[in-house]
Amino acid sequence: GAVVSQHPSWVICKSGTSVKIECRSLDFQATTMFWYRQFPKQSLMLMATSNEGSKATYEQGVEKDKFLINHASLTLSTLTVTSAHPEDSSFYICSAKLGGPGTEAFFGQGTRLTVV
Amino acid sequence: AQSVTQPDIHITVSEGASLELRCNYSYGATPYLFWYVQSPGQGLQLLLKYFSGDTLVQGIKGFEAEFKRSQSSFNLRKPSVHWSDAAEYFCAVGDMDTGRRALTFGSGTRLQVQP
């Protein structure tokens, strides 16, 4: 199957700093990438959808100025958590789709963000 | 709007016993259905998927699922559970669009396996 690589797998940062998470599709070109947030023992909550070369579409309640998404190429999307606070601590997961009706999504291994 | 319900939050089975995880969906047409598994601190791995055709689909690790349109269900089964199957399982539905929409996930079922 296709491989999606997410980096870093875990990060600890100080409150007020920014953190960038990368999501790469290693062996395919992803027309669409998604960013999710997952709280402990809960399901995935979609944060935003990004298509290469266009602005990301954010879900209701997700602050676009806080969670900056850049999808500069067909193989790379980045999520930057700006001015992080402890409440931003969570597990962030990206996924990528090849495109076309009903295609499955491939997931990165996730990033555990801890803001201290 | 599409939705997915996984009625069981937590299930415990003994190693070697059979397993069935329930999934019900709500969608206006024939959906695309998926089962994913997540180990702690990891991303999601696809177990199997249903697009069309045979309603009984086989997946990896000995899992299978059956699509029942009349019941709007897509239950996951395994005849004999192994300790390594302990994980979180998510059912998801996708729609027949251009492929640019995210999957809709259920709330997940945590599987515990007793020795």
Side-chain angles (χ1 to χ4, degrees), chain A residues 31-32 34 36 38 41-44 46 49 51-52 91 93 97 99-110 112, chain B residues 32 34 36 38 41-46 49 51 88 90 94-103 105-108 110:
Chain A
T31 55
T32 308
F34 307 92
Y36 295 86
Q38 186 179 31
K41 300 184 179 181
Q42 294 190 25
S43 188
L44 285 73
L46 180 67
T49 300
N51 294 300
E52 185 263 341
F91 194 60
I93 305 177
K97 295 177 81 175
T103 52
E104 67 195 74
F106 300 95
F107 287 82
Q109 63 268 50
R112 171 74 57 195
Chain B
Y32 294 109
F34 308 84
Y36 285 87
Q38 183 183 34
Q42 299 294 315
L44 277 69
Q45 181 184 22
L46 180 69
K49 59 190 177 187
F51 284 176
E88 187 87 21
F90 293 97
D95 55 14
M96 296 176 64
D97 65 343
T98 60
R100 292 176 178 253
R101 291 189 207 162
L103 302 181
F105 285 88
S107 53
R110 180 168 298 276

Short mmCIF file of all heavy atoms in Angstrom, two decimals, chain A residues 31-32 34 36 38 41-44 46 49 51-52 91 93 97 99-110 112, chain B residues 32 34 36 38 41-46 49 51 88 90 94-103 105-108 110:
data_model
loop_
_atom_site.label_atom_id
_atom_site.label_comp_id
_atom_site.label_asym_id
_atom_site.label_seq_id
_atom_site.Cartn_x
_atom_site.Cartn_y
_atom_site.Cartn_z
N THR A 31 -3.51 14.23 -4.16
CA THR A 31 -4.23 15.43 -4.56
C THR A 31 -4.85 16.13 -3.35
O THR A 31 -5.00 17.34 -3.34
CB THR A 31 -5.36 15.09 -5.54
OG1 THR A 31 -6.19 14.09 -4.95
CG2 THR A 31 -4.80 14.55 -6.84
N THR A 32 -5.17 15.35 -2.35
CA THR A 32 -5.82 15.90 -1.17
C THR A 32 -5.19 15.32 0.09
O THR A 32 -4.94 14.12 0.16
CB THR A 32 -7.32 15.57 -1.17
OG1 THR A 32 -7.89 15.97 -2.42
CG2 THR A 32 -8.04 16.30 -0.04
N PHE A 34 -5.44 15.54 4.51
CA PHE A 34 -6.32 15.89 5.61
C PHE A 34 -5.52 15.92 6.90
O PHE A 34 -4.63 15.11 7.11
CB PHE A 34 -7.45 14.85 5.74
CG PHE A 34 -8.21 14.60 4.47
CD1 PHE A 34 -7.82 13.59 3.61
CD2 PHE A 34 -9.30 15.38 4.13
CE1 PHE A 34 -8.51 13.35 2.44
CE2 PHE A 34 -10.00 15.15 2.96
CZ PHE A 34 -9.60 14.15 2.11
N TYR A 36 -6.06 15.67 11.08
CA TYR A 36 -6.96 15.30 12.14
C TYR A 36 -6.31 15.57 13.50
O TYR A 36 -5.09 15.56 13.64
CB TYR A 36 -7.30 13.80 12.08
CG TYR A 36 -8.06 13.34 10.87
CD1 TYR A 36 -7.40 13.00 9.70
CD2 TYR A 36 -9.44 13.22 10.92
CE1 TYR A 36 -8.10 12.56 8.59
CE2 TYR A 36 -10.15 12.76 9.81
CZ TYR A 36 -9.47 12.44 8.66
OH TYR A 36 -10.17 11.99 7.57
N GLN A 38 -6.72 14.05 17.49
CA GLN A 38 -7.32 12.96 18.24
C GLN A 38 -7.02 13.12 19.72
O GLN A 38 -5.85 13.14 20.12
CB GLN A 38 -6.80 11.60 17.75
CG GLN A 38 -7.50 10.41 18.38
CD GLN A 38 -6.98 9.09 17.85
OE1 GLN A 38 -5.81 8.96 17.49
NE2 GLN A 38 -7.84 8.08 17.82
N LYS A 41 -8.44 8.39 23.76
CA LYS A 41 -9.58 7.47 23.74
C LYS A 41 -10.77 8.03 22.97
O LYS A 41 -11.92 7.69 23.27
CB LYS A 41 -10.00 7.11 25.17
CG LYS A 41 -8.88 6.42 25.96
CD LYS A 41 -9.34 5.98 27.33
CE LYS A 41 -8.19 5.28 28.06
NZ LYS A 41 -8.58 4.81 29.41
N GLN A 42 -10.51 8.86 22.01
CA GLN A 42 -11.59 9.39 21.18
C GLN A 42 -11.29 9.16 19.70
O GLN A 42 -10.20 8.73 19.34
CB GLN A 42 -11.77 10.89 21.45
CG GLN A 42 -12.27 11.20 22.84
CD GLN A 42 -12.67 12.65 23.00
OE1 GLN A 42 -13.01 13.33 22.02
NE2 GLN A 42 -12.65 13.13 24.21
N SER A 43 -12.28 9.44 18.90
CA SER A 43 -12.11 9.24 17.47
C SER A 43 -11.33 10.41 16.87
O SER A 43 -10.95 11.35 17.55
CB SER A 43 -13.47 9.10 16.81
OG SER A 43 -13.32 8.74 15.45
N LEU A 44 -11.11 10.32 15.57
CA LEU A 44 -10.40 11.37 14.87
C LEU A 44 -11.34 12.53 14.57
O LEU A 44 -12.45 12.32 14.08
CB LEU A 44 -9.83 10.84 13.55
CG LEU A 44 -8.60 9.95 13.63
CD1 LEU A 44 -8.94 8.58 14.17
CD2 LEU A 44 -7.95 9.84 12.27
N LEU A 46 -11.71 15.75 12.28
CA LEU A 46 -11.14 16.42 11.10
C LEU A 46 -10.94 17.89 11.40
O LEU A 46 -11.86 18.58 11.85
CB LEU A 46 -12.08 16.24 9.91
CG LEU A 46 -11.62 16.89 8.61
CD1 LEU A 46 -10.36 16.20 8.08
CD2 LEU A 46 -12.74 16.82 7.56
N THR A 49 -9.01 20.24 5.40
CA THR A 49 -8.74 19.54 4.15
C THR A 49 -7.91 20.46 3.28
O THR A 49 -8.25 21.63 3.12
CB THR A 49 -10.05 19.21 3.43
OG1 THR A 49 -10.85 18.39 4.27
CG2 THR A 49 -9.79 18.50 2.10
N ASN A 51 -5.97 20.89 -0.53
CA ASN A 51 -5.67 20.45 -1.88
C ASN A 51 -4.45 21.21 -2.36
O ASN A 51 -4.31 22.40 -2.10
CB ASN A 51 -6.86 20.73 -2.81
CG ASN A 51 -8.06 19.89 -2.43
OD1 ASN A 51 -8.00 18.67 -2.44
ND2 ASN A 51 -9.14 20.54 -2.07
N GLU A 52 -3.61 20.52 -3.08
CA GLU A 52 -2.35 21.10 -3.52
C GLU A 52 -2.57 22.40 -4.28
O GLU A 52 -3.40 22.47 -5.20
CB GLU A 52 -1.60 20.10 -4.39
CG GLU A 52 -0.21 20.55 -4.80
CD GLU A 52 -0.21 21.17 -6.19
OE1 GLU A 52 -1.16 20.92 -6.96
OE2 GLU A 52 0.75 21.89 -6.50
N PHE A 91 -2.77 14.50 19.85
CA PHE A 91 -2.21 13.63 18.83
C PHE A 91 -2.74 14.11 17.49
O PHE A 91 -3.95 14.18 17.29
CB PHE A 91 -2.63 12.18 19.11
CG PHE A 91 -1.88 11.14 18.35
CD1 PHE A 91 -0.51 11.01 18.48
CD2 PHE A 91 -2.54 10.26 17.51
CE1 PHE A 91 0.20 10.03 17.79
CE2 PHE A 91 -1.85 9.27 16.81
CZ PHE A 91 -0.49 9.16 16.95
N ILE A 93 -2.83 13.69 13.36
CA ILE A 93 -2.63 12.68 12.32
C ILE A 93 -2.98 13.27 10.96
O ILE A 93 -3.99 13.97 10.82
CB ILE A 93 -3.54 11.44 12.54
CG1 ILE A 93 -3.33 10.86 13.93
CG2 ILE A 93 -3.27 10.37 11.49
CD1 ILE A 93 -4.25 9.68 14.22
N LYS A 97 -5.03 11.11 0.18
CA LYS A 97 -5.80 10.29 -0.75
C LYS A 97 -5.24 10.48 -2.15
O LYS A 97 -4.79 11.56 -2.51
CB LYS A 97 -7.27 10.70 -0.73
CG LYS A 97 -7.97 10.44 0.59
CD LYS A 97 -9.41 10.93 0.58
CE LYS A 97 -10.33 9.95 -0.09
NZ LYS A 97 -11.75 10.37 0.00
N GLY A 99 -7.11 10.28 -4.78
CA GLY A 99 -8.09 10.98 -5.58
C GLY A 99 -8.98 9.99 -6.29
O GLY A 99 -8.68 8.82 -6.36
N GLY A 100 -10.11 10.47 -6.77
CA GLY A 100 -11.06 9.58 -7.40
C GLY A 100 -12.12 9.13 -6.41
O GLY A 100 -11.87 9.10 -5.21
N PRO A 101 -13.28 8.78 -6.89
CA PRO A 101 -14.39 8.43 -5.99
C PRO A 101 -14.06 7.29 -5.05
O PRO A 101 -13.59 6.24 -5.48
CB PRO A 101 -15.50 8.05 -6.96
CG PRO A 101 -15.17 8.74 -8.22
CD PRO A 101 -13.68 8.75 -8.28
N GLY A 102 -14.35 7.51 -3.80
CA GLY A 102 -14.27 6.44 -2.81
C GLY A 102 -12.89 5.91 -2.53
O GLY A 102 -12.75 4.86 -1.92
N THR A 103 -11.86 6.60 -2.92
CA THR A 103 -10.52 6.07 -2.67
C THR A 103 -10.22 6.10 -1.18
O THR A 103 -10.66 6.96 -0.44
CB THR A 103 -9.45 6.86 -3.41
OG1 THR A 103 -9.62 8.25 -3.13
CG2 THR A 103 -9.55 6.64 -4.89
N GLU A 104 -9.45 5.10 -0.77
CA GLU A 104 -9.13 5.01 0.65
C GLU A 104 -8.13 6.09 1.02
O GLU A 104 -7.45 6.65 0.17
CB GLU A 104 -8.56 3.63 0.96
CG GLU A 104 -7.20 3.39 0.32
CD GLU A 104 -6.82 1.94 0.31
OE1 GLU A 104 -7.39 1.19 -0.49
OE2 GLU A 104 -5.94 1.58 1.11
N ALA A 105 -8.07 6.36 2.30
CA ALA A 105 -7.10 7.30 2.82
C ALA A 105 -5.96 6.54 3.47
O ALA A 105 -6.17 5.52 4.13
CB ALA A 105 -7.77 8.21 3.84
N PHE A 106 -4.76 7.04 3.26
CA PHE A 106 -3.57 6.46 3.89
C PHE A 106 -3.12 7.42 4.99
O PHE A 106 -3.12 8.64 4.79
CB PHE A 106 -2.47 6.26 2.85
CG PHE A 106 -2.87 5.34 1.74
CD1 PHE A 106 -3.37 5.85 0.55
CD2 PHE A 106 -2.77 3.97 1.88
CE1 PHE A 106 -3.77 5.00 -0.48
CE2 PHE A 106 -3.15 3.12 0.85
CZ PHE A 106 -3.65 3.63 -0.32
N PHE A 107 -2.75 6.85 6.12
CA PHE A 107 -2.48 7.67 7.28
C PHE A 107 -1.01 7.70 7.66
O PHE A 107 -0.30 6.69 7.52
CB PHE A 107 -3.30 7.16 8.47
CG PHE A 107 -4.76 7.47 8.37
CD1 PHE A 107 -5.59 6.67 7.61
CD2 PHE A 107 -5.28 8.59 9.00
CE1 PHE A 107 -6.95 6.97 7.48
CE2 PHE A 107 -6.63 8.89 8.88
CZ PHE A 107 -7.45 8.08 8.12
N GLY A 108 -0.58 8.85 8.15
CA GLY A 108 0.72 8.95 8.76
C GLY A 108 0.68 8.31 10.14
O GLY A 108 -0.39 7.92 10.64
N GLN A 109 1.83 8.20 10.76
CA GLN A 109 1.90 7.52 12.05
C GLN A 109 1.52 8.42 13.22
O GLN A 109 1.48 7.97 14.35
CB GLN A 109 3.30 6.93 12.27
CG GLN A 109 4.41 7.97 12.33
CD GLN A 109 5.04 8.21 10.98
OE1 GLN A 109 4.35 8.44 9.99
NE2 GLN A 109 6.36 8.19 10.91
N GLY A 110 1.24 9.69 12.91
CA GLY A 110 0.80 10.59 13.96
C GLY A 110 1.93 11.33 14.64
O GLY A 110 3.08 10.88 14.63
N ARG A 112 2.65 13.21 18.39
CA ARG A 112 2.22 13.54 19.76
C ARG A 112 2.82 14.88 20.13
O ARG A 112 4.03 15.00 20.26
CB ARG A 112 2.69 12.46 20.73
CG ARG A 112 2.50 12.79 22.20
CD ARG A 112 1.06 12.70 22.62
NE ARG A 112 0.50 11.39 22.36
CZ ARG A 112 -0.79 11.14 22.36
NH1 ARG A 112 -1.66 12.11 22.61
NH2 ARG A 112 -1.24 9.93 22.12
N TYR B 32 -19.03 3.78 0.33
CA TYR B 32 -17.75 3.10 0.40
C TYR B 32 -17.44 2.94 1.89
O TYR B 32 -17.50 3.91 2.64
CB TYR B 32 -16.66 3.92 -0.28
CG TYR B 32 -16.86 4.06 -1.77
CD1 TYR B 32 -17.22 5.29 -2.32
CD2 TYR B 32 -16.70 2.98 -2.62
CE1 TYR B 32 -17.40 5.43 -3.69
CE2 TYR B 32 -16.88 3.11 -3.99
CZ TYR B 32 -17.24 4.34 -4.52
OH TYR B 32 -17.42 4.47 -5.87
N PHE B 34 -15.04 1.28 5.16
CA PHE B 34 -13.69 0.91 5.53
C PHE B 34 -13.64 0.50 7.01
O PHE B 34 -14.41 1.00 7.82
CB PHE B 34 -12.73 2.10 5.35
CG PHE B 34 -12.78 2.75 3.99
CD1 PHE B 34 -13.73 3.71 3.71
CD2 PHE B 34 -11.86 2.40 3.03
CE1 PHE B 34 -13.76 4.32 2.46
CE2 PHE B 34 -11.89 3.01 1.77
CZ PHE B 34 -12.84 3.97 1.50
N TYR B 36 -10.50 0.45 9.85
CA TYR B 36 -9.11 0.74 10.16
C TYR B 36 -8.81 0.26 11.58
O TYR B 36 -9.68 0.23 12.44
CB TYR B 36 -8.84 2.25 10.10
CG TYR B 36 -8.77 2.84 8.72
CD1 TYR B 36 -9.91 3.27 8.06
CD2 TYR B 36 -7.54 2.97 8.07
CE1 TYR B 36 -9.83 3.84 6.79
CE2 TYR B 36 -7.45 3.54 6.80
CZ TYR B 36 -8.60 3.97 6.17
OH TYR B 36 -8.51 4.51 4.91
N GLN B 38 -6.01 0.93 14.87
CA GLN B 38 -5.00 1.84 15.41
C GLN B 38 -4.40 1.25 16.68
O GLN B 38 -5.12 1.02 17.65
CB GLN B 38 -5.61 3.21 15.70
CG GLN B 38 -4.60 4.23 16.20
CD GLN B 38 -5.24 5.57 16.56
OE1 GLN B 38 -6.37 5.63 17.03
NE2 GLN B 38 -4.52 6.66 16.32
N GLY B 41 -0.66 5.14 20.11
CA GLY B 41 0.36 6.06 19.65
C GLY B 41 0.74 5.92 18.20
O GLY B 41 1.78 6.45 17.77
N GLN B 42 -0.11 5.26 17.44
CA GLN B 42 0.20 5.03 16.02
C GLN B 42 -0.89 5.61 15.13
O GLN B 42 -1.97 5.97 15.60
CB GLN B 42 0.32 3.52 15.74
CG GLN B 42 1.41 2.82 16.52
CD GLN B 42 2.79 3.29 16.11
OE1 GLN B 42 3.09 3.41 14.91
NE2 GLN B 42 3.65 3.55 17.08
N GLY B 43 -0.58 5.67 13.84
CA GLY B 43 -1.59 6.07 12.88
C GLY B 43 -2.55 4.94 12.61
O GLY B 43 -2.58 3.94 13.34
N LEU B 44 -3.34 5.07 11.57
CA LEU B 44 -4.35 4.07 11.26
C LEU B 44 -3.90 3.18 10.10
O LEU B 44 -3.34 3.66 9.12
CB LEU B 44 -5.67 4.75 10.87
CG LEU B 44 -6.56 5.18 12.02
CD1 LEU B 44 -5.95 6.32 12.80
CD2 LEU B 44 -7.93 5.59 11.49
N GLN B 45 -4.20 1.91 10.25
CA GLN B 45 -3.89 0.95 9.19
C GLN B 45 -5.18 0.39 8.63
O GLN B 45 -6.08 -0.02 9.39
CB GLN B 45 -3.02 -0.19 9.75
CG GLN B 45 -2.64 -1.23 8.70
CD GLN B 45 -1.87 -2.40 9.29
OE1 GLN B 45 -1.93 -2.68 10.48
NE2 GLN B 45 -1.12 -3.09 8.45
N LEU B 46 -5.28 0.34 7.32
CA LEU B 46 -6.48 -0.18 6.68
C LEU B 46 -6.55 -1.70 6.82
O LEU B 46 -5.61 -2.41 6.47
CB LEU B 46 -6.50 0.19 5.20
CG LEU B 46 -7.71 -0.29 4.41
CD1 LEU B 46 -8.96 0.47 4.84
CD2 LEU B 46 -7.48 -0.11 2.92
N LYS B 49 -11.84 -2.96 2.92
CA LYS B 49 -12.71 -1.93 2.37
C LYS B 49 -13.77 -2.58 1.49
O LYS B 49 -13.55 -3.66 0.92
CB LYS B 49 -11.91 -0.93 1.55
CG LYS B 49 -11.14 -1.55 0.39
CD LYS B 49 -10.18 -0.57 -0.24
CE LYS B 49 -9.37 -1.24 -1.34
NZ LYS B 49 -8.31 -0.36 -1.88
N PHE B 51 -16.26 -1.54 -1.74
CA PHE B 51 -16.68 -0.55 -2.74
C PHE B 51 -17.92 -1.03 -3.47
O PHE B 51 -18.86 -0.28 -3.67
CB PHE B 51 -15.56 -0.29 -3.74
CG PHE B 51 -14.44 0.57 -3.22
CD1 PHE B 51 -13.32 0.82 -3.99
CD2 PHE B 51 -14.50 1.14 -1.96
CE1 PHE B 51 -12.28 1.61 -3.51
CE2 PHE B 51 -13.47 1.93 -1.47
CZ PHE B 51 -12.36 2.17 -2.26
N GLU B 88 -7.48 -0.29 18.87
CA GLU B 88 -8.70 0.49 18.64
C GLU B 88 -9.11 0.28 17.18
O GLU B 88 -8.26 0.35 16.28
CB GLU B 88 -8.44 1.97 18.89
CG GLU B 88 -9.67 2.85 18.85
CD GLU B 88 -10.37 2.95 20.19
OE1 GLU B 88 -9.73 2.67 21.22
OE2 GLU B 88 -11.57 3.31 20.21
N PHE B 90 -11.69 1.37 14.02
CA PHE B 90 -12.56 2.43 13.52
C PHE B 90 -13.22 2.00 12.22
O PHE B 90 -12.55 1.54 11.29
CB PHE B 90 -11.77 3.72 13.26
CG PHE B 90 -11.23 4.36 14.51
CD1 PHE B 90 -9.92 4.14 14.91
CD2 PHE B 90 -12.03 5.20 15.28
CE1 PHE B 90 -9.43 4.74 16.06
CE2 PHE B 90 -11.53 5.79 16.43
CZ PHE B 90 -10.23 5.56 16.82
N GLY B 94 -17.00 6.57 3.20
CA GLY B 94 -16.62 7.59 2.23
C GLY B 94 -17.73 7.70 1.21
O GLY B 94 -18.51 6.77 1.02
N ASP B 95 -17.80 8.83 0.53
CA ASP B 95 -18.88 8.98 -0.44
C ASP B 95 -18.35 9.00 -1.87
O ASP B 95 -17.17 9.05 -2.10
CB ASP B 95 -19.72 10.22 -0.14
CG ASP B 95 -18.87 11.47 -0.08
OD1 ASP B 95 -17.72 11.44 -0.51
OD2 ASP B 95 -19.38 12.49 0.41
N MET B 96 -19.29 8.93 -2.78
CA MET B 96 -18.94 8.79 -4.19
C MET B 96 -18.69 10.16 -4.80
O MET B 96 -19.38 10.60 -5.70
CB MET B 96 -20.06 8.07 -4.93
CG MET B 96 -20.26 6.64 -4.46
SD MET B 96 -21.65 5.83 -5.26
CE MET B 96 -21.11 5.79 -6.95
N ASP B 97 -17.70 10.82 -4.28
CA ASP B 97 -17.39 12.15 -4.80
C ASP B 97 -16.10 12.06 -5.60
O ASP B 97 -15.70 11.00 -6.03
CB ASP B 97 -17.26 13.14 -3.64
CG ASP B 97 -16.08 12.80 -2.74
OD1 ASP B 97 -15.57 11.68 -2.80
OD2 ASP B 97 -15.67 13.69 -1.97
N THR B 98 -15.45 13.18 -5.74
CA THR B 98 -14.22 13.19 -6.50
C THR B 98 -13.06 12.61 -5.71
O THR B 98 -11.94 12.53 -6.19
CB THR B 98 -13.85 14.64 -6.88
OG1 THR B 98 -13.68 15.40 -5.68
CG2 THR B 98 -14.93 15.26 -7.74
N GLY B 99 -13.31 12.28 -4.47
CA GLY B 99 -12.24 11.76 -3.62
C GLY B 99 -11.57 12.85 -2.82
O GLY B 99 -10.56 12.62 -2.17
N ARG B 100 -12.14 14.03 -2.83
CA ARG B 100 -11.51 15.14 -2.13
C ARG B 100 -12.14 15.42 -0.78
O ARG B 100 -11.87 16.42 -0.15
CB ARG B 100 -11.56 16.40 -3.00
CG ARG B 100 -10.67 16.25 -4.22
CD ARG B 100 -10.78 17.43 -5.16
NE ARG B 100 -9.87 17.25 -6.28
CZ ARG B 100 -8.76 17.93 -6.44
NH1 ARG B 100 -8.42 18.85 -5.57
NH2 ARG B 100 -7.98 17.70 -7.47
N ARG B 101 -13.00 14.53 -0.32
CA ARG B 101 -13.59 14.71 1.01
C ARG B 101 -13.01 13.67 1.95
O ARG B 101 -12.70 12.54 1.57
CB ARG B 101 -15.10 14.56 0.97
CG ARG B 101 -15.79 15.68 0.23
CD ARG B 101 -17.29 15.60 0.40
NE ARG B 101 -17.97 16.21 -0.73
CZ ARG B 101 -19.23 16.00 -1.03
NH1 ARG B 101 -19.95 15.19 -0.30
NH2 ARG B 101 -19.77 16.59 -2.06
N ALA B 102 -12.93 14.06 3.22
CA ALA B 102 -12.41 13.15 4.23
C ALA B 102 -13.42 12.05 4.52
O ALA B 102 -14.61 12.20 4.31
CB ALA B 102 -12.11 13.93 5.52
N LEU B 103 -12.90 10.95 4.99
CA LEU B 103 -13.78 9.88 5.46
C LEU B 103 -14.47 10.32 6.74
O LEU B 103 -13.94 11.14 7.50
CB LEU B 103 -12.97 8.62 5.73
CG LEU B 103 -12.16 8.04 4.58
CD1 LEU B 103 -11.46 6.76 5.03
CD2 LEU B 103 -13.06 7.76 3.38
N PHE B 105 -15.59 9.00 10.31
CA PHE B 105 -15.24 7.90 11.20
C PHE B 105 -16.27 7.71 12.30
O PHE B 105 -16.92 8.66 12.76
CB PHE B 105 -13.89 8.18 11.87
CG PHE B 105 -12.72 7.99 10.94
CD1 PHE B 105 -12.26 9.03 10.16
CD2 PHE B 105 -12.09 6.77 10.85
CE1 PHE B 105 -11.20 8.85 9.29
CE2 PHE B 105 -11.02 6.58 9.99
CZ PHE B 105 -10.58 7.62 9.21
N GLY B 106 -16.40 6.47 12.72
CA GLY B 106 -17.15 6.19 13.93
C GLY B 106 -16.30 6.54 15.14
O GLY B 106 -15.14 6.93 15.01
N SER B 107 -16.88 6.35 16.31
CA SER B 107 -16.20 6.74 17.54
C SER B 107 -15.16 5.73 17.99
O SER B 107 -14.39 6.00 18.91
CB SER B 107 -17.23 6.96 18.65
OG SER B 107 -18.06 5.83 18.76
N GLY B 108 -15.15 4.57 17.35
CA GLY B 108 -14.14 3.58 17.66
C GLY B 108 -14.59 2.56 18.68
O GLY B 108 -15.46 2.82 19.51
N ARG B 110 -12.67 -0.13 21.34
CA ARG B 110 -11.40 -0.60 21.90
C ARG B 110 -11.51 -2.09 22.20
O ARG B 110 -12.41 -2.51 22.95
CB ARG B 110 -11.06 0.17 23.17
CG ARG B 110 -9.74 -0.26 23.82
CD ARG B 110 -9.31 0.74 24.89
NE ARG B 110 -9.08 2.04 24.31
CZ ARG B 110 -7.93 2.42 23.73
NH1 ARG B 110 -6.92 1.57 23.67
NH2 ARG B 110 -7.80 3.63 23.25
#
